């Protein structure tokens, strides 16, 4: 199926909004055949981005820290907690490499139909990232009914978004209204994304989206279009993609761009909890429900400057009860889907291809995953792939398995309590010590070490 969570959305899997609105970052399309505790992740300055280590970026001695508060004033200096700015945008317009924007409690909203609550266009550099962070102990909310809560475009680079809550307008939209807008590609209320990274016009690279709570956007939760070196780590992403026309998903990477020729890991989707992202409005290109996936890597074979050469790691994610797949790669290559837990996805009745799978793809490894699907629907499939390997995965009894490896297991995974979304493993789980040794993955979803026993466990959690 096709999947995209557009940078604004998705058009042909890319968004089709008027190009006059491009600066507003818009959706991209989708196409296929047919709060957890805050954890810090480090910013990489290496050519090959290392796996998330969850440590803060080292401070730069000459950097400026700006403060923003819901009770502040943009006429303030913004240089202390007693003189904060009122809008995040005021600080964003001033940042230089190495600066930090600390955001205090408050609800930050868009003004009229501006493109984003916060539009980030100023870049850091490899040794001095610009960071936007929740002030310690605070829980700021970015609430919007426009194209995006946070938009990153215009060639921005070396920027980190950490510990914020971004909320769309789904609570104020009825399904009847959304269906009345099913041919309207220019309605930001129904099509807006929560966080939009859009590199279609110019190269966007080295962006970290960490520890955020992202929900209730009609379009995508976190949309990454034509970018490179992006890390999406430790976010909670839910209730997105309900009302847009572009075929979006919870977390979507579409048409990755080659910033350089590095063939190592450059894209990371790790340690996220992703659920209840679902399409209720047909994708305008095909007139049917196609996406609403938890996580998708889409059309990386069709990047803006050729097929994407870097590797993508999708690991330690928990993806459940989404409308489309839990995780999948569509028409993509060089993707490793490792140690994830997918549970009862494909809630949309017509979507049946798999909980975790690859389609029209090559050089994809699907290892060490718990793949738990609803009765009568495929847990995995192998659709027109080449060099796609499934192995060391666990399927429940009665699963419909379209692609199976020699070391796969069919058994009850013995979750602690799936009814409350507690997907830890009981001590008697057959997933324990049955996984493949994936040397690049040293921790689990809870930041516990892997392996804890004689071998890797299967799934997002390592039994301790």
């Amino acid at each position: 199926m096709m999947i995209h969570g557009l940078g604004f959305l998705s058009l042909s899997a890319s968004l089709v909004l008027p190009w006059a609105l491009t600066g507003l970052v818009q959706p991209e399309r989708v196409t296929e055949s047919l709060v957890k505790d805050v954890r810090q992740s480090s910013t990489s300055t290496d050519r090959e981005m290392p796996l998330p280590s969850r440590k803060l970026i080292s401070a730069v001695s000459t950097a400026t820290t700006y403060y923003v508060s819901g009770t502040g004033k943009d006429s303030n200096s913004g240089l202390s907690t007693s003189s904060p700015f009122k809008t995040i945008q005021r600080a964003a317009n001033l940042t230089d490499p190495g600066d930090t924007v600390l955001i205090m409690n408050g609800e930050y909203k868009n003004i009229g139909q501006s493109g984003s609550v916060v539009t980030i266009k100023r870049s850091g550099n490899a040794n001095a990232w610009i960071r936007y962070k929740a002030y310690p102990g605070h829980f700021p909310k970015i609430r919007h009914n426009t194209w995006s809560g946070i938009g990153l475009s215009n060639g921005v680079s070396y920027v980190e978004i950490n510990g914020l809550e971004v909320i769309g307008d789904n609570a104020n939209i009825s399904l009847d209204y959304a269906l009345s807008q099913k041919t309207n590609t220019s309605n930001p209320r129904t099509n807006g994304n929560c966080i939009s990274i859009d590199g279609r016009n110019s190269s966007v690279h080295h962006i970290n989206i960490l520890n955020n709570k992202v929900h209730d956007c009609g379009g995508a939760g976190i949309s990454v279009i034509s970018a490179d070196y992006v890390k999406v780590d430790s976010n909670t992403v839910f209730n997105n993609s309900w009302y847009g026309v572009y075929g979006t998903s919870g977390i979507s990477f579409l048409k990755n761009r080659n910033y350089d020729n590095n063939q190592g890991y450059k894209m990371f989707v790790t340690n996220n909890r992703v659920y209840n992202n679902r399409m209720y409005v047909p994708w305008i290109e095909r007139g049917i429900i196609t996406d609403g996936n938890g996580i998708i890597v889409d059309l990386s074979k069709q990047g803006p400057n050729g097929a994407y050469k870097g590797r993508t790691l999708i690991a330690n994610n928990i993806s459940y009860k989404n409308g489309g797949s839990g995780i999948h790669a569509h028409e993509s290559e060089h993707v490793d889907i490792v140690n994830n837990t997918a549970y009862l996805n494909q809630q949309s009745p017509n979507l049946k291809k798999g909980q975790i799978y690859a389609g029209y793809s090559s050089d994809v490894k699907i290892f060490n995953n718990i793949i738990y699907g609803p009765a009568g629907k495929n847990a995995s499939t192998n659709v027109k792939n080449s060099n796609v390997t499934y192995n060391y995965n666990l399927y429940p009894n009665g699963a419909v398995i379209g692609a199976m490896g020699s070391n796969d297991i069919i058994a009850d995974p013995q979750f602690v309590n799936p009814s409350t979304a507690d997907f830890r493993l009981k001590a008697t789980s057959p997933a324990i010590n049955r996984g493949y040794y994936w040397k690049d993955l040293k921790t689990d979803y809870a930041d516990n070490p892997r392996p804890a026993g004689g071998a890797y466990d299967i799934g997002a959690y390592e039994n301790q």
Side-chain angles (χ1 to χ4, degrees):
M1 54 178 1
M2 313 205 116
I3 287 171
H4 298 8
L6 298 202
F8 254 159
L9 252 43
S10 264
L11 271 186
S12 56
S14 282
L15 130 237
V16 181
L17 296 177
W19 282 103
L21 296 177
T22 295
L24 304 184
V25 184
Q26 302 164 21
E28 265 260 17
R29 100 166 196 195
V30 172
T31 164
E32 183 192 272
S33 120
L34 318 142
V35 165
K36 101 187 248 183
D37 292 337
V38 171
R39 302 179 293 180
Q40 305 296 342
S41 291
S42 68
T43 300
S44 167
T45 59
D46 296 331
R47 189 163 178 269
E48 178 174 336
M49 202 177 246
L51 299 184
S53 66
R54 306 176 197 177
K55 296 180 181 178
L56 291 175
I57 301 169
S58 58
V60 177
S61 60
T62 59
T64 299
T65 298
Y66 295 103
Y67 298 86
V68 181
S69 169
T71 59
K73 296 180 181 179
D74 279 356
S75 59
N76 287 343
S77 71
L79 297 176
S80 69
T81 57
S82 60
S83 186
F85 294 138
K86 183 175 180 59
T87 66
I88 305 170
Q89 190 65 57
R90 170 69 171 142
N93 292 342
L94 297 174
T95 53
D96 289 318
D99 289 351
T100 298
V101 178
L102 292 179
I103 305 165
M104 302 165 71
N105 282 336
E107 196 163 271
Y108 303 89
K109 299 182 178 181
N110 53 288
I111 299 173
Q113 290 303 309
S114 57
S116 303
V117 179
V118 186
T119 300
I120 298 173
K121 297 182 179 180
R122 296 173 70 92
S123 298
N125 61 48
N127 297 311
W129 288 54
I130 296 174
R131 295 173 290 166
Y132 294 80
K133 297 176 52 184
Y135 184 85
H138 284 225
F139 302 93
K141 301 179 188 301
I142 296 174
R143 188 183 297 274
H144 77 98
N145 60 4
T146 187
W147 287 114
S148 61
I150 301 175
L152 301 98
S153 59
N154 292 83
V156 71
S157 59
Y158 300 103
V159 171
E160 179 170 290
I161 309 295
N162 193 331
L164 307 180
E165 183 173 2
V166 184
I167 310 165
D169 201 37
N170 283 0
N172 299 312
I173 298 174
S174 69
L175 179 56
D176 284 346
Y177 172 76
L179 288 171
S180 77
Q181 299 294 299
K182 67 181 181 180
T183 60
N184 187 351
T185 60
S186 300
N187 187 340
R189 289 191 64 204
T190 53
N191 293 310
N193 298 332
C194 283
I195 299 176
S196 182
I197 301 169
D198 191 344
R200 283 173 292 174
N201 285 340
S202 54
S203 177
V204 171
H205 57 92
H206 290 90
I207 305 293
N208 285 355
I209 307 296
L210 316 175
N211 308 308
N212 302 286
K213 187 177 180 182
V214 177
H215 59 99
D216 289 284
C217 287
I222 300 172
S223 170
V224 182
I225 303 174
S226 298
D228 200 0
Y229 287 98
V230 177
K231 182 191 300 181
V232 176
D233 180 76
S234 302
N235 301 281
T236 302
V237 182
F238 60 98
N239 293 359
N240 302 293
S241 298
W242 288 6
Y243 300 135
V245 304
Y246 291 103
T248 61
S249 294
I251 299 174
S252 171
F253 281 61
L254 175 68
K255 294 186 177 181
N256 296 341
R257 178 187 293 273
N258 293 294
Y259 171 69
D260 57 23
N261 292 321
N262 180 10
Q263 296 182 23
Y265 282 131
K266 298 198 290 177
M267 297 295 217
F268 298 91
V269 186
T270 50
N271 309 299
N272 300 286
R273 180 177 287 264
V274 187
Y275 62 95
N276 203 32
N277 302 283
R278 179 173 178 173
M279 287 177 65
Y280 291 98
V281 175
W283 178 35
I284 193 169
E285 290 293 314
R286 295 186 60 192
I288 60 175
I289 302 299
T290 55
D291 294 290
N293 307 286
I295 299 168
I296 179 174
V297 177
D298 202 0
L299 299 180
S300 77
K301 290 183 177 181
Q302 300 180 23
N305 57 351
Y308 186 62
K309 298 176 181 178
R311 294 203 75 83
T312 298
L313 178 66
I314 304 175
N316 288 344
N317 299 286
I318 298 173
S319 185
Y320 60 99
K321 295 188 176 180
N322 296 287
S325 71
I327 302 169
H328 90 261
H330 172 69
E331 203 169 323
S332 295
E333 54 192 353
H334 318 314
V335 180
D336 297 327
I337 302 174
V338 184
N339 277 107
N340 302 281
T341 296
Y343 180 80
L344 295 183
N345 296 286
Q346 302 177 104
Q347 293 290 311
S348 296
N350 65 312
L351 300 182
K352 303 176 181 180
K353 287 193 174 179
Q355 295 290 301
I356 296 179
Y357 74 98
Y360 303 86
S361 296
S362 60
D363 187 16
V364 178
K365 294 180 176 62
I366 300 174
F367 278 44
N368 294 359
N369 302 285
I370 295 178
I371 305 176
Y372 195 111
K377 291 190 176 183
N378 286 331
S380 62
T381 54
N382 200 8
V383 182
K384 295 185 178 180
N385 293 318
S386 64
N387 189 27
V388 171
T389 306
Y390 294 78
N391 214 349
Y392 295 90
N393 301 296
L394 185 150
Y395 301 91
N397 295 310
V400 180
I401 305 171
M404 189 168 182
S406 59
N407 297 290
D408 285 348
I409 301 168
I410 298 176
D412 180 357
Q414 298 186 31
F415 295 127
V416 169
N417 191 352
S419 67
T420 60
D422 186 345
F423 298 107
R424 291 175 298 164
L425 303 174
K426 293 180 180 178
T428 53
S429 170
I432 294 173
N433 292 336
R434 298 291 295 275
Y436 177 80
Y437 181 79
W438 199 271
K439 63 182 179 61
D440 293 312
L441 196 62
K442 302 300 184 185
T443 58
D444 72 350
Y445 173 81
D447 205 20
N448 291 315
R450 285 190 191 273
Y456 275 50
D457 296 347
I458 298 172
Y461 285 102
E462 184 84 4
N463 188 265
Q464 302 298 304

